[in-house]
Amino acid sequence: MSIILQKVQISQINKKTWDIIIESIRNMNIFTKKLNPLTGAVEWVMQNENYDFNQEIARSAFADMLHDSERNEKYYTAIKKVIEQTHRAGKKAHVLDIGTGTGLLAMMAARCGADTIHACEAFSPISQCAEEVIRENGLVDRIRVIHKRSTEMTAGDGGDIPHRANILVTEVFDTELIGEGAIATFNHAHKHLLEKDCLVVPTSGTVYAQVVESAVMQRWNRLDPWGALKLSGAVAMCPGAAAVHDLQLSQLKLSDFNTIAPPQPVFSFDFSGRSSIPEDDSSTITFTAVASGSAEVVFMWWSLDMDPQGSVVLSCAPWWAHPAHPPGPDSIPWRDHWMQAAYYLPAPLPVRQGQQLSLISSHDEFSLWFNLTSTSDSPKRSSKRPLCDCMLHVTCSRTRVGMLNDTSRRDKYRNVLHQLITPQTVVLSWGDTSLLGLMAATLGAKQVYHVEENSLSREVIEGLVKDNKLKSKVTILDSTKLDDKIRSSVNLVVGEPYFLNSLYPWDVLRWWFLRQQCPTASCVPVAATLHCLPMQFDHLHKIRAPLGTISGFKMSAFDKLIQSASTVSDTEVEVQPLWEYPGVCLSASHQLISFDLTTVVPQSEVEVRGTITTTVSGTCHGVALWLDVHLDSHTVVSTGPQSSPQPGQRVSWDPYCRQGVYFFLPQVPVTSQSHLDYKAVFSPTTGEITFNFAIQK
């Protein structure tokens, strides 16, 4: 019972919740909190007792990594080299594989002739799966799997391994290289588990930085003024979020940034054990600006020297900086587990071409950050990690900040509100971190009531109200203070709509439910339409695709585990920033459901069925889904494509919104006349939309 009760605070248990608890115990289920996207209310939902277990497996993302053929090939090559090097020295090759996952690297070591192999994996379901994969490949007598973290292991008599290993193979890296605890892992292994003259795959890692000016990138970080609305001092001067912004830099156009300093190494991590890796360190490099501009962003990526000689190199560089000199973004290996990153400088620095600058790079045990100064400034004064002090970056995702900075989107709202607002207009603005209410006040509304439920975002809005001297016109309140007197005075309800806890694009239909509190008032938006588009992705489908055989090793046991866990815990639609994941559409876009936001929410389910005909041949990996919001009869704000999709052509997606993707498993080949049947059901009770898509055979 304690396992079940840890999901809920005792103070939250009422009779209804207690009945659910009892029912869960009887049926050996657990119950979890679930947000109703339409009402915003938290509800309790019973799940299978293994729900958490399966969800953790399904989210493990090992499959995405194992689809990286370049990674696999270079690990295989380097492992073969170090084992042969050890044998040539007259030694047996004793291999330790830390974080073995599916056991792939350990099996590579076995095929390359290692004498003993120990592989550790802390995540129990995956370590058990590794044993099954190893058994499936006939290597069970060659590899021993240890079910614990390497930092909990010991070597020697009575230890987890009988003696120290002389070869370490491991993959404990993320986008920041060190974010998964690589420093502690290597330091502990060299101190407790490895011989002093051991060989390590990979042997070292190098972090690269490129300083750029980029208005495109800054839209994800700094809030721009909203027309007549001035930014508060805290928002205007805030250094931004400290967290890394990981993204597929190769999807940026070269015109999206201006290089101030070309890529250069800023950190080198020696994994060989010749010295301990510091948990906290910084470096300063001085360079000459190659262009004038405003230094705003640092692009970061890393490379690995896989073998001691540095002859096998794996690079995560974007295409324009890749050592293989590819002609474009489609010519470099695709990977989603190791992307590139952007770090926003605490303040833009105006620079002149030829100016001497210092880039201060810092890291702790898990993360990186950067500062830039002119050479006359003190590096010590400039090495502090930037932290948000305006609350905007604490409250909002980068996607949300980008959405607020989208000038096209903002201008559409302004133009529509400008036509509707008069000196007699009383506005109710409902939505999280929304500036529409303040915009309405600057456009001359008599009074604005802005409902802001989140305390942190309320602090941001209050600062903007104060700095723009709008206190007499704008009242900020939570929904409990929205009384009948206020409701009866409102004649215009506005919303983007946007809510911090929304996941899917259509979750913002919650605004429709809230708008009912002023049923006689006009509203903006007036309608919403749900759309879909059959897609052939370049690579995104691999995150759901089975492995089959990887580097000559059978992975069916792993495929079965992931697919089984996904069936139990995954939703039918994933949310993805599709601008980062290119693909072509296989038909024109299709409208699924239309919602009239000027009317009451229906009491019964809304179900639509139909058929879409693909107009080009290809492989249908899935269906992209998004919501268009209609501000009036001719003004549309879309969360989907930026222009009308053309069958057989790449789709240009809105970079400041995430779209839904319904994946097909297995992927389905289609012709120019294939038929895609669909069913979509909107439930006003749960606030959810469920989908079913199927290609006719």
Side-chain angles (χ1 to χ4, degrees):
M1 184 170 176
S2 61
I3 296 175
I4 297 173
L5 288 180
Q6 69 183 358
K7 294 282 181 181
V8 60
Q9 297 176 4
I10 297 298
S11 61
Q12 296 174 318
I13 299 179
N14 53 29
K15 185 179 185 304
K16 181 179 178 181
T17 301
W18 184 252
D19 290 341
I20 295 175
I21 293 173
I22 298 302
E23 185 68 18
S24 297
I25 295 171
R26 287 174 180 160
N27 296 321
M28 293 303 292
N29 292 329
I30 65 170
F31 68 97
T32 58
K33 284 183 178 181
K34 184 177 182 181
L35 182 77
N36 183 316
L38 190 59
T39 65
V42 173
E43 301 170 348
W44 297 100
V45 179
M46 280 192 291
Q47 303 283 7
N48 179 279
E49 63 176 324
N50 293 320
Y51 176 81
D52 286 348
F53 172 84
N54 284 288
Q55 187 178 58
E56 195 167 357
I57 295 172
R59 295 288 180 274
S60 60
F62 288 103
D64 160 43
M65 181 171 60
L66 293 172
H67 277 296
D68 185 345
S69 57
E70 185 199 35
R71 166 198 176 272
N72 300 337
E73 175 190 342
K74 294 199 171 183
Y75 262 101
Y76 213 159
T77 300
I79 289 170
K80 185 174 186 292
K81 284 172 66 72
V82 297
I83 289 175
E84 289 177 348
Q85 182 178 338
T86 301
H87 284 161
R88 284 197 303 270
K91 302 177 182 178
K92 288 187 175 182
H94 301 298
V95 174
L96 173 62
D97 175 9
I98 292 179
T100 193
T102 60
L104 178 63
L105 302 187
M107 292 190 296
M108 289 178 176
R111 290 276 172 88
C112 292
D115 297 282
T116 66
I117 306 165
H118 292 86
C120 69
E121 173 59 53
F123 187 26
S124 177
I126 296 298
S127 64
Q128 293 170 20
C129 178
E131 291 183 322
E132 186 59 34
V133 170
I134 290 167
R135 184 178 297 108
E136 181 181 23
N137 285 278
L139 296 170
V140 69
D141 296 331
R142 302 283 309 281
I143 303 167
R144 177 173 166 243
V145 178
I146 301 166
H147 303 261
K148 61 169 58 175
R149 295 179 183 276
S150 66
T151 51
E152 299 170 349
M153 290 173 54
T154 58
D157 293 341
D160 297 290
I161 55 178
H163 47 73
R164 289 176 177 254
N166 57 7
I167 294 176
L168 170 64
V169 298
T170 186
E171 198 281 82
V172 287
F173 310 113
D174 68 347
T175 292
E176 289 193 280
L177 185 65
I178 59 174
E180 291 186 0
I183 292 177
T185 297
F186 281 108
N187 284 343
H188 177 274
H190 283 294
K191 186 175 182 179
H192 299 285
L193 305 174
L194 301 171
E195 294 182 0
K196 287 188 176 181
D197 60 347
C198 67
L199 301 177
V200 179
V201 177
T203 302
S204 64
T206 303
V207 174
Y208 293 86
Q210 177 180 359
V211 181
V212 303
E213 173 185 36
S214 177
V216 171
M217 294 298 303
Q218 279 288 62
R219 291 190 193 116
W220 279 298
N221 184 55
R222 289 188 177 275
L223 187 62
D224 294 332
W226 263 53
L229 193 64
K230 300 175 184 177
L231 298 184
S232 67
V235 173
M237 301 302 294
C238 181
V244 60
H245 183 185
D246 53 344
L247 73 167
Q248 300 281 1
L249 283 180
S250 286
Q251 296 310 312
L252 292 177
K253 305 181 186 70
L254 292 180
S255 59
D256 287 339
F257 59 91
N258 170 35
T259 296
I260 303 295
Q264 47 203 311
V266 293
F267 282 119
S268 180
F269 292 93
D270 184 355
F271 304 138
S272 70
R274 287 191 291 267
S275 61
S276 179
I277 305 172
E279 293 181 356
D280 296 277
D281 199 6
S282 64
S283 72
T284 301
I285 60 170
T286 300
F287 64 91
T288 302
V290 298
S292 299
S294 176
E296 299 164 332
V297 186
V298 176
F299 291 158
M300 186 282 294
W301 59 89
W302 48 261
S303 67
L304 297 174
D305 283 347
M306 303 300 293
D307 63 321
Q309 294 75 34
S311 60
V312 182
V313 178
L314 188 154
S315 175
C316 292
W319 73 269
W320 66 80
H322 201 280
H325 304 293
D330 298 335
S331 304
I332 61 172
W334 178 84
R335 49 180 60 100
D336 201 46
H337 52 288
W338 299 332
M339 292 190 279
Q340 299 83 38
Y343 298 83
Y344 298 91
L345 294 171
L349 181 66
V351 301
R352 304 180 311 277
Q353 184 176 359
Q355 183 178 351
Q356 293 292 299
L357 300 169
S358 294
L359 178 66
I360 302 98
S361 308
S362 306
H363 76 79
D364 57 19
E365 190 175 356
F366 300 103
S367 58
L368 306 167
W369 63 96
F370 298 88
N371 287 273
L372 184 70
T373 69
S374 66
T375 52
S376 60
D377 290 333
S378 168
K380 290 184 178 179
R381 190 173 68 245
S382 307
S383 60
K384 185 178 179 181
R385 181 199 296 267
L387 294 173
C388 170
D389 53 19
C390 75
M391 294 300 112
L392 175 72
H393 304 92
V394 175
T395 306
C396 296
S397 66
R398 296 200 186 278
T399 300
R400 174 56 176 165
V401 176
M403 190 184 298
L404 289 169
N405 282 329
D406 186 341
T407 54
S408 172
R409 177 189 183 95
R410 187 170 64 215
D411 290 346
K412 289 178 180 179
Y413 286 113
R414 189 185 188 284
N415 292 338
V416 171
L417 291 180
H418 181 72
Q419 296 174 26
L420 295 175
I421 289 176
T422 71
Q424 286 72 47
T425 304
V426 178
V427 175
L428 174 62
S429 169
W430 209 314
D432 297 335
T433 65
S434 177
L435 302 183
L436 288 190
L438 279 64
M439 176 184 279
T442 64
L443 290 172
K446 177 181 179 181
Q447 182 67 43
V448 174
Y449 297 99
H450 175 67
V451 178
E452 187 69 63
E453 303 285 10
N454 184 279
S455 60
L456 294 179
S457 55
R458 188 182 306 134
E459 184 177 331
V460 176
I461 302 299
E462 286 172 347
L464 292 171
V465 169
K466 179 181 178 182
D467 286 3
N468 286 272
K469 297 180 173 55
L470 294 173
K471 277 193 170 185
S472 62
K473 277 194 169 187
V474 178
T475 301
I476 302 172
L477 65 164
D478 61 45
S479 57
T480 61
K481 304 292 177 58
L482 192 62
D483 56 29
D484 290 340
K485 182 179 179 181
I486 294 175
R487 291 191 189 96
S488 62
S489 69
V490 170
N491 49 32
L492 178 62
V493 183
V494 302
E496 299 180 47
Y498 178 84
F499 299 96
L500 291 170
N501 52 21
S502 296
L503 176 62
Y504 300 104
W506 45 90
D507 284 351
V508 299
L509 289 172
R510 176 186 172 192
W511 185 87
W512 189 16
F513 181 89
L514 299 173
R515 174 260 184 283
Q516 306 298 314
Q517 299 196 37
C518 300
T520 61
S522 301
C523 66
V524 174
V526 297
T529 48
L530 180 66
H531 300 261
C532 71
L533 190 63
M535 292 294 300
Q536 175 177 294
F537 294 110
D538 290 5
H539 300 288
L540 180 61
H541 58 284
K542 295 176 183 177
I543 67 174
R544 285 283 190 103
L547 297 173
T549 299
I550 298 294
S551 300
F553 298 99
K554 301 173 186 176
M555 291 288 172
S556 60
F558 177 76
D559 287 340
K560 290 176 183 176
L561 175 68
I562 294 296
Q563 289 171 12
S564 174
S566 179
T567 300
V568 172
S569 65
D570 276 348
T571 57
E572 59 193 4
V573 176
E574 282 196 22
V575 179
Q576 297 287 346
L578 289 183
W579 77 272
E580 295 187 56
Y581 302 103
V584 300
C585 58
L586 301 173
S587 76
S589 62
H590 186 84
Q591 180 177 306
L592 294 176
I593 309 177
S594 177
F595 304 94
D596 184 351
L597 305 184
T598 66
T599 62
V600 297
V601 178
Q603 298 299 306
S604 57
E605 289 185 342
V606 177
E607 178 180 315
V608 295
R609 295 172 181 262
T611 300
I612 302 167
T613 301
T614 56
T615 54
V616 294
S617 299
T619 300
C620 190
H621 295 127
V623 179
L625 297 151
W626 70 93
L627 193 77
D628 283 354
V629 175
H630 300 254
L631 306 187
D632 57 22
S633 60
H634 57 275
T635 307
V636 178
V637 173
S638 179
T639 63
Q642 293 182 304
S643 57
S644 180
Q646 301 301 310
Q649 302 296 315
R650 290 201 183 280
V651 182
S652 176
W653 296 98
D654 187 329
Y656 307 120
C657 298
R658 292 173 180 258
Q659 295 75 34
V661 182
Y662 182 106
F663 286 102
F664 285 122
L665 285 177
Q667 290 106 38
V668 185
V670 296
T671 69
S672 59
Q673 294 182 334
S674 293
H675 298 294
L676 172 63
D677 295 330
Y678 66 82
K679 173 184 174 183
V681 180
F682 168 66
S683 169
T685 303
T686 65
E688 296 178 335
I689 302 178
T690 56
F691 302 91
N692 184 266
F693 294 92
I695 301 289
Q696 292 182 13
K697 300 296 184 182

